Amino acid sequence: MTAVASVDVSLDAPPTTYAREVFGHFVEHFHRQVYGGIFSPGSPLSDEQGFRADVVEALRELAPPVVRWPGGCFVSSYHWLDGVGPDRRPHYDLAWRVTDPNTFGTAEFVAWCRAIGAEPYVCTNAGTGTAKEMSDWVEYCNLPAGSGRWADLRAEHGSPDPFDVRFWSIGNENYGDWEMGAKTPAEWASLVRESAKMIRHVDEDVSLLTAARADLGWTLPLLTAAGSNLDLISIHGYWDVLNLVEAPSDYLTAVGRSLGPQSDIERTRDILGAAGLAERVGIAFDEWNLRGWHHPDGDRPELIAARDLNDVNSTYTMADALFSASFLNACLRHGDVVKMANIAPTVNTRGPLYVHPTGLVRRTTFHVLAMYAHLLGGRVLASTALADGLTGADVPVIDHLATVDEAGTRLSLVLVNRDPTAAVACDVRLGGHVLDGAYDATVLDGPSADAYNDVDHPGTVVPRPVTVGVHAGRTSLPPHSLTVVHVDLP
Ligand code: AHR
């Protein structure tokens, strides 16, 4: 029996705006994300700064608003001073247990962000670092030459003008025992309070974030101590952890995780409410992806094997694409509180771009990000849906989102059919009326639910323009698909 669903979009309630930073990115010094990913001096594909020009060009297609860097777990043993100026000091990275040459540091990161058209977002070391080291880094980046030792050092290093980094975060996952210099909730609350104060005394205009989680025991003391000095709290989510021994989840298991992000957002929003900060502090989902990376306790060969397994392209299928669409829908539906989200990572391991020595592959998730960046309006319309359950998973068969442009004349309706093999009959009502007619649309589906792109077949899953027919309100959504339909409003 064909599954059925209905979507009702209201044109009465005022649309809500959302922050474009929810289409953000994350690049970590981990595996081949920086070295051999975005930065490969000497490669024939790189420009004079050592940036892979093909990667820059591909990322520009996503109009990325913001990139978080340098970690991740990496940051908790990173000291920024090793990565600035002419004399770079290699350091042994305690998180990933490799030597980092530090040839890609603050100036390179800022220049790379400018090349792809994104705002830089710097995450500081609150594990083995100090509040003073954090505020010195802010001075190095943001104060005019002549203000002090670190601003002058930047000028000496050839950048007289401030880098003007707007987004700063205190720490990364400092609640986790895998993190170098992990903290107790009480230690964390006190360190963040002091760090935020010192950072604001250097530059009071920065947008300040810190490591939190959807957990009352960690986040409430943090908000009580430092909430009035924060703009956003950062949470992370990976819903299908890859590890050394198990194969990645099958399509239904993976897609069945699609409601996870929404419940994490709602739980975190409730914690902000409990602290009395729901109106003042937002959420940054500043690492997210369906596939997470297992942190093995094994020896080096196992670590290397785990990193390489993360690069297997066949892992990243339409399940990843549809999960990602549901993730973004959840953020946009909660645009009043979710102000940033950063797919983790941007390149290699589980990222939307797979970069290899002679080229790159746009994985399925790349196309989802491109569709959201270019096909949606800037405001979300109120809407509701009713749908059958997806057979074999505990989620509705469809997900949806409705946006409208600034002029209020173009509606973009996002429809996700999670069924791996069957079309879904979907009724659409707009402002109380059934839709009827033929509409321009873009669909991403690929030949099967398990389809993916790889080096030999980079174009197996690509978006395609279609005309969607709606007859007396009913349309048919292809199996395992993401569709964005455009409707002109009177
Ligand atoms: O992506 C690998 C790691 O996953 C990041 O460094 C960390 O923040 C998260 O746990």
Side-chain angles (χ1 to χ4, degrees):
M1 202 179 67
T2 309
V4 293
S6 67
V7 171
D8 206 330
V9 180
S10 164
L11 295 178
D12 295 335
T16 54
T17 51
Y18 63 86
R20 277 210 82 256
E21 282 77 19
V22 294
F23 304 137
H25 288 262
F26 171 53
V27 170
E28 176 169 13
H29 288 240
F30 165 39
H31 196 214
R32 293 187 307 102
Q33 291 181 43
V34 173
Y35 306 107
I38 65 172
F39 185 64
S40 287
S43 159
L45 296 178
S46 294
D47 65 16
E48 65 290 345
Q49 299 181 87
F51 303 154
R52 276 281 296 260
D54 53 343
V55 176
V56 168
E57 200 181 313
L59 288 176
R60 288 188 75 91
E61 288 171 32
L62 299 181
V66 62
V67 184
R68 176 176 183 254
W69 170 88
C73 297
F74 170 84
V75 80
S76 291
S77 66
Y78 179 68
H79 298 286
W80 65 269
L81 208 44
D82 294 339
V84 293
D87 302 315
R88 301 297 171 96
R89 225 174 314 158
H91 87 280
Y92 187 71
D93 156 28
L94 293 175
W96 308 119
R97 300 192 237 172
V98 292
T99 301
D100 190 295
N102 268 321
T103 47
F104 188 95
T106 306
E108 291 75 21
F109 171 61
V110 172
W112 182 77
C113 284
R114 303 296 179 219
I116 65 168
E119 282 296 325
Y121 161 19
V122 172
C123 180
T124 61
N125 178 356
T128 61
T130 62
K132 180 72 168 68
E133 185 183 8
M134 297 178 216
S135 63
D136 289 346
W137 201 359
V138 178
E139 178 188 324
Y140 182 87
C141 289
N142 285 7
L143 292 200
S147 312
R149 172 180 173 189
W150 304 112
D152 288 351
L153 188 66
R154 182 199 66 242
E156 270 170 42
H157 290 164
S159 302
D161 294 331
F163 292 144
D164 209 8
V165 175
R166 212 171 96 216
F167 297 103
W168 290 85
S169 172
I170 300 166
N172 175 76
E173 295 184 0
N174 303 75
Y175 43 78
D177 62 5
W178 57 86
E179 197 73 29
M180 300 304 125
K183 304 284 186 282
T184 65
E187 288 167 344
W188 188 238
S190 148
L191 177 61
V192 174
R193 186 186 53 224
E194 288 310 296
S195 309
K197 181 172 67 188
M198 289 168 70
I199 289 171
R200 292 255 188 239
H201 278 207
V202 175
D203 183 349
E204 62 184 0
D205 294 331
V206 295
S207 196
L208 198 53
L209 299 84
T210 195
R213 65 194 313 198
D215 172 271
L216 204 59
W218 176 265
T219 301
L220 199 54
L222 164 69
L223 290 172
T224 306
S228 59
N229 228 348
L230 297 170
D231 296 295
L232 305 175
I233 53 172
S234 137
I235 59 172
H236 292 173
Y238 298 99
W239 288 269
D240 184 52
V241 175
L242 298 171
N243 65 34
L244 295 176
V245 284
E246 289 165 22
S249 296
D250 62 16
Y251 174 89
L252 279 177
T253 308
V255 163
R257 313 231 192 260
S258 297
L259 300 186
Q262 171 134 336
S263 77
D264 287 356
I265 291 168
E266 288 170 356
R267 187 157 168 67
T268 310
R269 184 196 57 197
D270 291 349
I271 296 172
L272 286 168
L277 291 168
E279 306 295 315
R280 196 199 171 278
V281 177
I283 297 171
F285 231 127
D286 65 11
E287 283 186 36
W288 72 270
N289 205 326
L290 169 60
R291 318 286 180 179
W293 190 70
H294 176 64
H295 296 255
D297 298 322
D299 59 15
R300 291 181 59 91
E302 276 184 334
L303 280 168
I304 291 162
R307 289 171 189 153
D308 290 345
L309 279 178
N310 278 278
D311 264 351
V312 175
N313 281 314
S314 57
T315 304
Y316 308 100
T317 66
M318 282 306 299
D320 298 77
L322 301 188
F323 175 90
S324 299
S326 295
F327 175 90
L328 294 172
N329 290 348
C331 291
L332 294 175
R333 271 195 294 268
H334 293 81
D336 57 327
V337 65
V338 181
K339 300 296 180 189
M340 186 192 289
N342 307 66
I343 191 162
T346 297
V347 304
N348 291 337
T349 74
R350 299 85 26 106
L353 267 187
Y354 174 66
V355 180
H356 57 91
T358 57
L360 52 79
V361 176
R362 289 166 179 78
R363 286 179 173 147
T364 56
T365 48
F366 180 95
H367 297 300
V368 175
L369 295 173
M371 287 169 72
Y372 276 72
H374 298 296
L375 301 179
L376 268 54
R379 299 181 297 159
V380 175
L381 287 164
S383 58
T384 54
L386 278 176
D388 286 339
L390 173 61
T391 307
D394 198 13
V395 288
V397 70
I398 69 147
D399 186 29
H400 84 288
L401 181 83
T403 66
V404 67
D405 64 3
E406 284 311 310
T409 54
R410 187 171 156 93
L411 171 97
S412 300
L413 183 60
V414 177
L415 296 164
V416 176
N417 175 9
R418 297 178 172 128
D419 194 303
T421 52
V424 166
C426 184
D427 293 331
V428 182
R429 289 173 72 83
L430 184 56
H433 302 286
V434 294
L435 270 194
D436 201 78
Y439 300 93
D440 289 342
T442 304
V443 65
L444 183 75
D445 54 359
S448 75
D450 293 328
Y452 58 88
N453 296 330
D454 68 6
V455 178
D456 295 325
H457 310 94
T460 302
V461 182
V462 287
R464 52 196 173 87
V466 293
T467 301
V468 165
V470 187
H471 306 291
R474 177 158 286 196
T475 189
S476 174
L477 304 176
H480 54 82
S481 64
L482 164 66
T483 307
V484 182
V485 187
H486 297 298
V487 178
D488 290 330
L489 299 174

